[in-house]
């Protein structure tokens, strides 16, 4: 009797999963992040972290801008690029605080997320409460913070 139950269970699991797997293989359905096509400025001076963020951003279907490793370069991009959708800002970039970049983005109504090893405690008082991810972070933490900053929710 147990063998019959097992075969029936396997049959139904296979019957339910096979169409989903085939649809995914054919590109008929895909996971969406709600971030696809967004241009994301990455300001990060640590090369390995910058490469990781760039890969994460691409995996979310976004287009990375940068990464850039200096506040001056980030300010130049913000001033010249009118098509930024959101930014991810390391709080300490090459020994300088990134807050002038945050101010420039805010003036252009471009949302952003801070990234820091100190969590929200690493922010100046004026920026506390702003979307922040703490290093080390996961792709899910970055994705959720970007969604929050953009006001994107998946139902």
């Amino acid at each position: 009797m147990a063998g019959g139950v097992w075969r029936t269970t396997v049959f139904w699991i296979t019957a339910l999963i096979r169409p989903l797997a085939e649809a995914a293989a054919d590109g008929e359905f895909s996971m969406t992040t709600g971030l696809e096509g967004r241009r994301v400025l990455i300001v990060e001076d640590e090369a390995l972290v910058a490469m990781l963020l760039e890969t994460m951003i691409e995996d979310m279907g976004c287009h990375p801008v940068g990464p850039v490793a200096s506040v001056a370069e980030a300010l130049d991009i913000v001033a010249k690029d009118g098509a930024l959708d959101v930014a991810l800002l390391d709080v300490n970039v090459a020994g300088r605080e990134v807050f002038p970049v945050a101010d420039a983005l805010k003036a252009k109504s471009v949302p952003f997320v801070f990234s820091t090893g100190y969590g929200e405690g690493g922010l100046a008082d004026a920026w506390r409460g702003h979307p922040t991810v703490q290093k080390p972070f996961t792709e899910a933490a970055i994705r959720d913070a970007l969604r929050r900053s953009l006001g994107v929710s998946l139902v």
Side-chain angles (χ1 to χ4, degrees):
M1 185 78 113
V5 171
W6 174 249
R7 279 191 297 277
T8 302
T9 303
V10 169
F11 169 79
W12 283 109
I13 289 173
T14 304
L16 293 171
I17 293 176
R18 182 175 288 144
L20 293 175
E22 289 171 357
D26 292 339
E28 293 177 22
F29 98 108
S30 64
M31 296 294 290
T32 180
T33 63
L35 300 170
E36 291 82 1
R38 308 287 182 130
R39 297 187 74 237
V40 182
L41 173 62
I42 302 170
V43 181
E44 173 61 61
D45 62 329
E46 294 292 332
L48 290 176
V49 176
M51 288 188 301
L52 175 65
L53 285 170
E54 187 174 20
T55 299
M56 287 179 175
I57 296 301
E58 288 171 344
D59 288 349
M60 291 177 212
C62 299
H63 304 288
V65 177
V68 297
S70 74
V71 169
E73 187 179 0
L75 286 169
D76 188 51
I77 289 173
V78 172
K80 293 178 180 174
D81 191 332
L84 295 173
D85 293 303
V86 64
L88 187 57
L89 309 176
D90 181 15
V91 171
N92 183 345
V93 181
R96 290 194 53 203
E97 290 184 330
V98 78
F99 303 125
V101 179
D103 285 327
L105 290 164
K106 186 176 179 181
K108 292 183 108 180
S109 299
V110 176
F112 53 90
V113 174
F114 289 117
S115 167
T116 175
Y118 303 102
E120 198 171 308
L123 299 179
D125 290 340
W127 296 107
R128 297 245 169 115
H130 202 81
T132 305
V133 291
Q134 183 168 344
K135 295 177 183 177
F137 42 72
T138 63
E139 185 169 335
I142 296 294
R143 181 185 60 243
D144 294 346
L146 290 173
R147 282 181 184 156
R148 230 178 9 263
S149 70
L150 287 162
V152 173
S153 64
L154 296 178
V155 179

